Amino acid sequence: MKTPRYAIPVSDTQSALWGLVRPLPLCILAVAAFLIFYELGQRPLWQDEAETSRLAQTVLTDGVPRAFDGKNLISQEEAREYNPDDGHVWRWSPWIQIYMSAAGIACFGENAAGDRFFFALAGLLSVAATYLLVLRFFRNPAWAALSAGLLTLTVPFLLFCRQGRYYSMGTLLTLAAIYAFFSDWRHKNGPLLGMALSMGLLFHANYLLFLSFVPSALACAILLYHERLDIKRLALLMIATMAMVIPGLFMYRLGSQSGMFDIILVPENLMIYFADLIMFMIPLPVLAVLAWRWRRFFVFLERPTDPAERFVLFCALLTVMSLLLLALVPQRFHRYIVHLYPLCAILLAWAGMRLWRWSRPSGLVFLLLIALTNWLHLYPLERTKLINRPWQNDFRMLTSPNFPLKLYLTELFSGYPDVNANIIAFFKEHARPGDTILAEYGDLPLQFYTGLRVLGGLQGPPAPEEKPEWVLIRRSVRVNRDRLLFPARAFVHTLDLERDYERLELPWPDEDFGNRADPYYHAFIPMEPPRLPLTIYRKKAGG
């Protein structure tokens, strides 16, 4: 039978796996393993990670995640995540990350490295899957290695792989779904089942990833690979996928969360997501050149004849459409687009190889700029005044024109005075068993590491009669979804701190989050004086 004009040349998966054990991909995986796993537990869990790990602790005792363990409440949404009438079962975010955390803690102990282990492993497997995806369907070891290599050197991706949250698992499941789609899913049940399983599990990893990725992938498939679609098999795929998804709609109470939609936020969300895209993922000049190159597709839907280029267009369209759908969600965070980093790495690797064929010096310079600097991402924005970057002179962060890998390695080898580490160390030394801490923020890391009773944070209002032995004041004033002061800060205002408490200023800076991975917030090098100190109030004897 004659090969269709737009067919992708395929080999078998076993051959692709054997290709992974060659020296170059093995070296890439070794570098990726080092960058992801080295000092994995160096910095303690921050607030969001600690939420997952605290729920994981309840899984290990009760079998299901619960928001109350008899002493402490686990909540960052003012008690929206559970119903006391059904035993505080967690019904807000999906459970895969919770069970991954529980498995890590069960295998390696109640520590940050144990909690993060299986998430880090999923990140490493994502690098391998990126290599396999390109090698399997395009038989181009150089492109495969370059894609995996660029992903390995992408610092924001590495940061998220070292977090005990769904980010790396969502990335791996996304790659698995794409891999299954380009397999012979129309005639073989294995790829069909693999695609349904990947997308169903993606929902249970994070339903926002599912709701943005699946419609985008379907639209891109219709536009670029409609000859690979079969209505009957597609219907079967949808049935199998929804069989996994529909129970989750009720389990996670998505209907109650839909009320947070706010159309007024959509334009701002779009701006922020596309700023993230060009600042950290695909530089604006690259997007502009590719948009011009593919102008006939955008005007006449004329698909590229080269299978590799058509797949790169698929990656670009899938990325952009996902951002458009995510803009409909009220909360916008960089973590919702981490699963798109491999697609961006594949695109940049292809662009670099095309440029190399045209001019080797130009291709080499482009690839070095992309792999080792963020200059191509940031300088064009500065010159064109498209984005005002107030952090551009902060050499500690990725938002400055620094060397990302240098910053990353500096943190790995030199460590970082993490704000949560300092708070935890203080209370481990000075608090007594049975003490209660009121923390304006960072309550969940304190619960995980100290075992003390910890109130406040984003849990909701403490009982009026509470008289905590310790009060942890944070410099940032936080408001809830209704733009009201969080109850923990409001409760502190009801206490007579001057009369009943002793003020302690600790010799450490009061940073906002600790080991948060978002590139807008993650600092790799400690700040220099002047800096606001951590402030803690200790209850006076008889107070």
Side-chain angles (χ1 to χ4, degrees):
M1 186 174 70
K2 188 176 180 180
T3 303
R5 181 184 178 189
Y6 293 104
I8 293 179
V10 296
S11 59
D12 59 279
T13 298
Q14 185 176 359
S15 299
L17 287 170
W18 277 111
L20 193 60
V21 298
R22 293 174 180 172
L24 182 56
L26 284 178
C27 288
I28 293 172
L29 289 178
V31 172
F34 171 77
L35 293 175
I36 293 173
F37 281 94
Y38 181 76
E39 295 286 7
L40 186 60
Q42 181 184 67
R43 297 181 66 172
L45 307 174
W46 76 287
Q47 178 82 347
D48 284 10
E49 287 184 289
E51 175 191 274
T52 306
S53 60
R54 288 288 292 117
L55 292 169
Q57 289 176 320
T58 66
V59 165
L60 294 175
T61 57
D62 298 346
V64 296
R66 299 185 187 275
F68 186 66
D69 63 358
K71 178 192 294 185
N72 281 309
L73 186 66
I74 306 162
S75 174
Q76 293 197 81
E77 293 288 345
E78 298 180 280
R80 293 184 179 92
E81 305 99 326
Y82 62 88
N83 183 350
D85 295 336
D86 68 358
H88 294 86
V89 174
W90 186 261
R91 301 200 182 274
W92 187 261
S93 56
W95 287 7
I96 280 184
Q97 63 179 359
I98 300 171
Y99 282 89
M100 288 178 66
S101 175
I105 291 173
C107 293
F108 305 105
E110 292 187 346
N111 54 73
D115 175 81
R116 294 169 177 153
F117 177 82
F118 288 107
F119 300 96
L121 181 60
L124 180 61
L125 292 176
S126 296
V127 176
T130 301
Y131 181 90
L132 288 174
L133 179 63
V134 177
L135 184 69
R136 164 76 164 83
F137 298 109
F138 302 97
R139 299 178 184 176
N140 192 328
W143 184 19
L146 192 54
S147 300
L150 288 179
L151 183 63
T152 296
L153 299 178
T154 301
V155 170
F157 175 74
L158 296 174
L159 291 174
F160 282 103
C161 287
R162 290 167 62 88
Q163 293 269 300
R165 297 279 280 181
Y166 60 84
Y167 320 127
S168 56
M169 178 53 69
T171 304
L172 183 59
L173 292 170
T174 298
L175 289 169
I178 295 173
Y179 190 98
F181 173 75
F182 286 109
S183 301
D184 191 11
W185 71 279
R186 293 171 299 168
H187 304 101
K188 297 181 180 179
N189 291 330
L192 177 68
L193 179 60
M195 193 159 26
L197 190 62
S198 299
M199 293 191 296
L201 290 176
L202 183 63
F203 178 88
H204 291 279
N206 186 283
Y207 41 75
L208 292 180
L209 304 191
F210 174 89
L211 295 173
S212 61
F213 169 76
V214 173
S216 301
L218 179 59
C220 292
I222 293 172
L223 289 171
L224 291 165
Y225 296 105
H226 52 76
E227 70 280 354
R228 299 185 61 84
L229 300 177
D230 179 275
I231 297 299
K232 292 182 179 179
R233 299 286 283 183
L234 187 60
L236 184 60
L237 172 65
M238 293 176 64
I239 292 171
T241 302
M242 295 310 295
M244 300 180 62
V245 168
I246 289 175
L249 297 176
F250 300 98
M251 182 184 300
Y252 310 132
R253 301 188 307 183
L254 260 65
S256 63
Q257 298 185 40
S258 62
M260 295 185 294
F261 174 76
D262 188 349
I263 195 171
I264 297 177
L265 297 175
V266 173
E268 183 182 356
N269 292 350
L270 278 173
M271 179 189 70
I272 292 175
Y273 275 126
F274 278 94
D276 281 10
L277 177 66
I278 58 182
M279 288 181 67
F280 304 110
M281 303 174 80
I282 306 176
L284 181 61
V286 176
L287 284 176
V289 170
L290 291 178
W292 175 255
R293 180 181 180 87
W294 294 328
R295 62 191 182 279
R296 295 192 63 83
F297 170 78
F298 295 122
V299 176
F300 305 110
L301 293 182
E302 183 178 308
R303 302 179 295 177
T305 56
D306 175 34
E309 183 169 0
R310 187 153 60 108
F311 179 66
V312 172
L313 176 56
F314 174 84
C315 293
L317 282 180
L318 178 53
T319 299
V320 171
M321 288 185 179
S322 295
L323 298 186
L324 294 174
L325 289 178
L326 283 169
L328 301 175
V329 180
Q331 289 186 309
R332 66 267 179 172
F333 295 111
H334 195 84
R335 53 182 176 253
Y336 296 152
I337 60 176
V338 172
H339 61 296
L340 302 173
Y341 269 102
L343 305 185
C344 297
I346 291 170
L347 181 151
L348 292 172
W350 176 85
M353 293 182 65
R354 294 286 304 210
L355 190 58
W356 172 273
R357 292 177 199 156
W358 177 71
S359 168
R360 290 191 175 185
S362 300
L364 180 61
V365 169
F366 173 79
L367 290 171
L368 289 176
L369 285 173
I370 289 295
L372 301 178
T373 79
N374 59 1
W375 301 345
L376 201 58
H377 295 80
L378 298 184
Y379 279 127
L381 304 180
E382 187 174 302
R383 292 293 183 183
T384 57
K385 308 296 183 183
L386 285 176
I387 294 180
N388 180 26
R389 298 186 296 108
W391 321 272
Q392 59 187 301
N393 295 320
D394 190 343
F395 67 94
R396 306 179 308 136
M397 303 177 68
L398 288 176
T399 45
S400 69
N402 210 324
F403 295 96
L405 195 61
K406 176 186 176 183
L407 289 173
Y408 185 82
L409 292 174
T410 298
E411 180 182 325
L412 287 192
F413 290 119
S414 302
Y416 188 91
D418 190 286
V419 63
N420 290 312
N422 294 326
I423 293 171
I424 292 161
F426 174 85
F427 282 112
K428 278 188 172 182
E429 180 179 354
H430 295 94
R432 296 169 298 181
D435 281 359
T436 295
I437 303 170
L438 175 72
E440 288 192 339
Y441 189 70
D443 52 310
L444 297 176
L446 281 172
Q447 290 183 20
F448 182 80
Y449 286 101
T450 67
L452 297 170
R453 182 170 178 259
V454 186
L455 306 173
L458 315 180
Q459 299 173 16
E465 65 273 12
E466 287 286 353
K467 297 295 180 183
E469 282 75 22
W470 302 90
V471 178
L472 171 61
I473 303 292
R474 303 302 295 271
R475 67 182 179 89
S476 293
V477 178
R478 291 179 169 84
V479 295
N480 62 14
R481 296 184 186 276
D482 300 318
R483 305 300 179 187
L484 300 175
L485 190 67
F486 260 116
R489 173 63 67 97
F491 179 81
V492 169
H493 291 166
T494 68
L495 300 174
D496 193 335
L497 296 177
E498 185 175 346
R499 183 192 67 191
D500 298 332
Y501 290 82
E502 174 189 3
R503 176 187 171 97
L504 305 173
E505 282 197 0
L506 307 186
W508 305 303
D510 182 7
E511 293 190 328
D512 281 349
F513 299 108
N515 190 32
R516 182 171 177 174
D518 297 71
Y520 286 108
Y521 300 101
H522 192 91
F524 300 85
I525 300 172
M527 69 171 65
E528 297 178 354
R531 54 198 184 187
L532 292 175
L534 279 167
T535 303
I536 293 177
Y537 287 84
R538 176 171 52 194
K539 192 175 183 181
K540 297 176 181 177

